[in-house]
Amino acid sequence: MVFKLNSHLLSRIASGNGHGEDSPYFDGWKAYETDPHHPTENPDGVIQMGLAENQLCFDLIQDWLMKNPKASICTPEGLNEFREIAIFQDYHGLPKFRNAVANFMEKVRGNRVTYDPDRIVMSGGATGAHETIAFCLANPGEAFLVPTPYYPGFDRDLRWRTGVKLIPVDSDSSNNFKVTREALENAYEMAQLDNIKVKGLLITNPSNPLGTILDKETLRSIVRFINEKNIHLVCDEIYAATVFSQPDFISVTEILQEDIECNLDLVHIVYSLSKDMGFPGLRIGIIYSYNDAVVSCARKMSSFGLVSTQTQYLIATMLSDNDFVEKFIRESKRRLAARYRAFTHGLDQAGIKCLKTSNAGLFLWMDLSGLLKEQTVEAEMELWRVIIHEVKLNVSPGCSFHCLSPGWFRVCFANMDDQTMHVALSRIKTFINKEADTKKPKKTLRWQGSLKLLNPPRIYDDFINSPHSPLPQSPLVRARN
Amino acid sequence: MVTEIEQPTVELSKVAVSETHGEDSPYFAGWKAHDEDPYDESSNSSGVIQMGLAENQVSFDLLEEYLEQNSEASNWAEGAPGFRENALFQDYHGLKSFRQAMASFMEKIRGGRAKFDPDRIVLTAGATAANELLTFILADPDDALLVPTPYYPGFDRDLRWRTGVKIVPIHCDSSNDFQVTLEAMEAAYRHAVAMNIKVRGVLITNPSNPLGATIQRSVLEEILDFAKRNNIHVVSDEIYSGSTFSSSEFVSIAEILEARGYKDSERVHIVYSLSKDLGLPGFRVGTIYSYNDKVVTTARRMSSFSLISSQTQHLLASMLSDEKFTENYIKTNRERLRKRYEMIIQGLKTSGIECLKGNAGLFCWMNLSPLLETPTRKGELALWKSILHEVKINISPGSSCHCSEPGWFRVCFANMSEPTLEVALKRIHSFMDQRKTDAIQSPPQL
């Protein structure tokens, strides 16, 4: 049955494209979905490197689960808890769950900080957390500052249904994309000139897509900045446990514990278990706020995105097992580090550099600006299409992250096995060698398919043509291993 | 340590400081009273009995029996990719097997009288999220949805809080058993127009909360025709569809659409959830079923903010695709709810209390208007308070459901054991006896 649309019957929110999916980047996903790589069934298929998933430690999880059937209320061992848990819909969440999450967050930060379980509020993944925080802190038309490059999902999560704007804080490759006080001030001033009220600053630390962490000085500078302007600071620490080499991760919480002037009511943390533990499907989003009113409000809003108590119970049991947690955190870092090294080494051999300050995340930030025929977004997009259709890797172009320096690409490395990684590396090597050999003018890289040229994304609120990355629309993971 | 400085409090949003979340209402006194002094068969037999919570606790044993034979751990077994694939699955389309199981379950509940296409099912974390999401899609801020009274108090928050959408009530009363009439709908529509408010849809709950009764076929037809004439949407919240006491009495709007050959159906959307029928409110399983392609696509995208845990999807996909289990569950659950209903109705009758004739849900709609000192909202609240403190049961006053006629109360009967229900009925009986005695001893002043 075909049901005709009558689109003017729908709301403005529904009719607009704030969902962010009308972007050309879906070509990459389409290419992958129509021709996905499989080691035996489709070795020449497109390798998915655009999905920041952490698949390196499932054996540890599996092992733990086998030994702890009681962690499930749906096993004979755990069944005696079934009724109570299935009926529990209190938006405070299971106390055991909140305690376990607080404990985990502390351990991830080397026990250098403490978290109060009563400040932990649930949400529908970090996606839900960001939207909720925006609803709590800003009115429609008001804005958050966000350093570029940033996770494309923010455009939807923070703006779509809330009507809140995002104002980019510029950074570029000249200083390794660091967030400077000057850039913050500039962005703030621009907003003032445009008569836009800034309500907060959103930082992601460790950064997506950079894979870098903020050093103490920068963090302190940021805290001072928001305090002076009396605006909120939202710290998305979703990649906290993926810091795989020195220096150690410094959470905003550590800064607050030091001798620094700050109105605590301004600081909020967004967290999730999607990246650190590799559980995006379980929808475990967390808002941690130092502001009582925000905790209270966000908690009420969490009714729209509570974590399934079946899952709360499982996670509560798992994360209360200190031995397991410590082992997991340690081993996960080790494997991420090994993967990162293997990849960057392989790229290095092919003459490709990655951001040297990266030491975290599930991806590397690769510099292909040397391959661009000109330093423009259009050229970057051309190169990207070649990578998708010729090299057959779905990587994410920097412009989808609103990056100002063209030619950078985010390449995910933790969502595949070693074998696939080697295939990806050899394809890249082959491609680069071909480039070097032919020494043709870069024009020949032009992809013959439909080229959608973008307007350089000078971002304010009417994002119609802005690049977005497809979001949690990951197809069901096929057994590649 | 952080040096805290006196700063002007930084503003939160208007949404954050508004009271549309609805929790500052006086009714929370009832919840407080229960929380502070909860009834317990053995340890606190004089405590407050909770009869204000529409939960279904009568069929847990059926679920437990299923789980005993179908352990989740089999999904985790060595060699099974189960947990890993599950934990990674975040596709907002939702697990296909789960959508298929849901479609099939919804069909069974309707006795096969309607078909559901799994690709039109959008998954959300509970009906709470589903109703808010649909409102975001169907209406702009300051527009309105028409909702028949009395209605579920949660709608005030779910439909209005973050969306900025208004609710304009369609007034119903006991003269015709609180059924929706064309006159009432038109009056509500005119009222909105007079206030310069654009009406975008009608939202009905069928079976009704708090009435505990299904909406008649003729009324559903009328609502659909009314929607068509005014070019607005119809949202049918059928969350209690599996809790009808007999399978034949419930008519889903899906059946009517099918009978009409799906003509003009793109304005119709159904909300469902497993919180009531399966008694799993903690698992956050809600769905939107829309006959409108654009609504399905948009709702699916929006569901990103409130997806169902894939662990839960997987479990329920197995459970609900087990035909033997679902058929037995639906039948048995219905039977048990009907018995509970009869028990409470009988018990109330012997105490001299009448209820609306109900045929569904986890509650009955009780008429205490003869007991009101004054036939006003204030009188109702006063009576409610005395029931809370003297009878020590927490029931929901009609005014919390926006009922325009004072004196009606919603009383839940499925969230407790039978013995507890007996105790509650005994207390009510004593209360009514006492009232009769008081009335005799102190006749009304002339």
Side-chain angles (χ1 to χ4, degrees), chain A residues 133-146 158-167 191-192 194-201 230-232 460-461, chain B residues 10-16:
Chain A
I133 263 285
F135 267 124
C136 286
L137 304 181
N139 294 316
E142 295 178 343
F144 275 88
L145 305 180
V146 195
L158 291 153
R159 302 183 318 148
W160 190 16
R161 304 193 299 183
T162 62
V164 166
K165 299 177 196 306
L166 289 183
I167 293 174
Q192 306 297 84
D194 282 337
N195 242 329
I196 297 174
K197 182 154 189 209
V198 174
K199 285 309 266 296
L201 167 65
N230 199 29
I231 59 176
H232 291 280
Y460 269 85
D461 53 336
Chain B
V10 63
E11 276 171 43
L12 298 188
S13 66
K14 294 196 182 81
V15 161

Side-chain angles (χ1 to χ4, degrees), chain A residues 369-417:
Chain A
S369 53
L371 294 182
L372 297 184
K373 77 167 192 255
E374 53 191 20
Q375 300 299 306
T376 62
V377 167
E378 289 81 2
E380 179 184 290
M381 286 293 282
E382 262 185 65
L383 176 58
W384 178 65
R385 283 184 211 282
V386 169
I387 296 174
I388 300 246
H389 297 288
E390 276 186 34
V391 193
K392 303 197 100 186
L393 303 175
N394 181 31
V395 298
S396 310
C399 52
S400 68
F401 298 88
H402 307 290
C403 183
L404 284 182
S405 299
W408 291 79
F409 292 80
R410 190 192 76 169
V411 182
C412 298
F413 58 67
N415 62 318
M416 63 189 66
D417 59 16

Side-chain angles (χ1 to χ4, degrees), chain B residues 3-17:
Chain B
T3 315
E4 298 223 33
I5 25 178
E6 281 302 320
Q7 289 242 3
T9 330
V10 63
E11 276 171 43
L12 298 188
S13 66
K14 294 196 182 81
V15 161
V17 303

Side-chain angles (χ1 to χ4, degrees), chain A residues 3 9 11-12 21 55 62 72 74 83 86 91 135-136 139 256 258 260 281 304 308-311 472, chain B residues 1-2 13-14 23 64 72 80 84 87 89-90 92 120 136-137 140 233 282 291 301 306 309-312:
Chain A
F3 299 107
L9 253 190
S11 68
R12 287 188 291 270
E21 292 186 21
Q55 294 190 27
Q62 196 103 353
S72 163
C74 301
R83 270 180 212 223
Y91 60 29
F135 267 124
C136 286
N139 294 316
L256 296 178
E258 294 176 349
I260 187 168
F304 299 110
S308 166
T309 48
Q310 176 195 17
T311 300
Chain B
M1 284 310 299
V2 167
S13 66
K14 294 196 182 81
E23 290 189 23
E64 284 159 349
E72 184 178 17
R84 179 174 158 276
F89 185 81
Q90 59 174 328
Y92 62 27
R120 291 195 168 280
F136 268 120
I137 291 177
D140 292 309
H233 294 274
Y291 296 89
R301 288 173 175 153
S306 42
S309 164
S310 50
Q311 178 193 16
T312 302

Side-chain angles (χ1 to χ4, degrees), chain B residues 1 49 170 262 268 309 322 338 342 383 389 433:
Chain B
M1 284 310 299
I49 298 178
I170 298 172
Y262 296 104
V268 182
S309 164
D322 184 329
R338 190 180 55 75
E342 277 165 8
L383 177 58
H389 295 292
D433 271 349

Side-chain angles (χ1 to χ4, degrees), chain B residues 67-279:
Chain B
L67 292 172
E68 234 156 46
Q69 294 158 12
N70 298 274
S71 171
E72 184 178 17
S74 59
N75 187 44
W76 301 344
E78 201 66 59
F83 185 81
R84 179 174 158 276
E85 271 205 18
N86 216 219
L88 288 171
F89 185 81
Q90 59 174 328
D91 183 346
Y92 62 27
H93 287 76
L95 221 53
K96 178 132 195 170
S97 57
F98 179 52
R99 283 185 285 114
Q100 284 166 336
M102 274 299 257
S104 149
F105 190 65
M106 287 169 74
E107 285 171 2
K108 281 203 173 54
I109 283 176
R110 289 156 184 73
R113 295 183 298 274
K115 282 214 72 56
F116 290 99
D117 173 2
D119 291 334
R120 291 195 168 280
I121 288 184
V122 176
L123 302 175
T124 62
T128 300
N131 282 315
E132 186 196 45
L133 198 154
L134 268 178
T135 307
F136 268 120
I137 291 177
L138 306 180
D140 292 309
D142 295 330
D143 288 346
L145 294 177
L146 305 183
V147 186
T149 66
Y151 63 76
Y152 163 57
F155 283 159
D156 289 328
R157 172 196 60 187
D158 301 349
L159 307 178
R160 302 182 320 153
W161 190 19
R162 306 191 304 181
T163 61
V165 169
K166 303 184 198 302
I167 293 177
V168 171
I170 298 172
H171 292 293
C172 304
D173 58 65
S174 60
S175 64
N176 71 339
D177 289 340
F178 294 95
Q179 287 183 85
V180 175
T181 63
L182 181 57
E183 291 84 355
M185 283 193 286
E186 286 179 342
Y189 193 91
R190 275 195 310 270
H191 183 64
V193 169
M195 291 195 290
N196 234 335
I197 297 172
K198 187 165 179 207
V199 175
R200 299 305 283 270
V202 181
L203 188 143
I204 58 175
T205 308
N206 178 28
S208 159
N209 173 13
L211 301 178
T214 56
I215 300 184
Q216 292 173 9
R217 178 180 287 269
S218 55
V219 176
L220 288 173
E221 303 261 16
E222 200 134 65
I223 292 171
L224 270 175
D225 293 337
F226 171 79
K228 178 164 196 235
R229 279 197 303 276
N230 293 287
N231 198 22
I232 59 179
H233 294 274
V234 177
V235 177
S236 180
D237 184 340
E238 301 192 349
I239 194 176
Y240 292 99
S241 48
S243 306
T244 49
F245 307 147
S246 98
S247 101
S248 52
E249 287 190 51
F250 171 59
V251 178
S252 165
I253 206 157
E255 295 174 52
I256 304 205
L257 291 178
E258 209 168 284
R260 292 181 176 199
Y262 296 104
K263 231 179 78 173
D264 194 50
S265 56
E266 69 267 15
R267 62 179 77 257
V268 182
H269 325 279
I270 297 176
V271 168
Y272 185 55
S273 158
L274 298 181
S275 299
K276 310 296 177 182
D277 291 347
L278 239 50

Side-chain angles (χ1 to χ4, degrees), chain A residues 181 185 223-231 266, chain B residues 7:
Chain A
R181 178 63 184 245
E185 295 281 2
V223 169
R224 276 193 296 268
F225 172 77
I226 58 108
N227 206 54
E228 273 163 40
K229 304 284 192 254
N230 199 29
I231 59 176
L266 296 175
Chain B
Q7 289 242 3

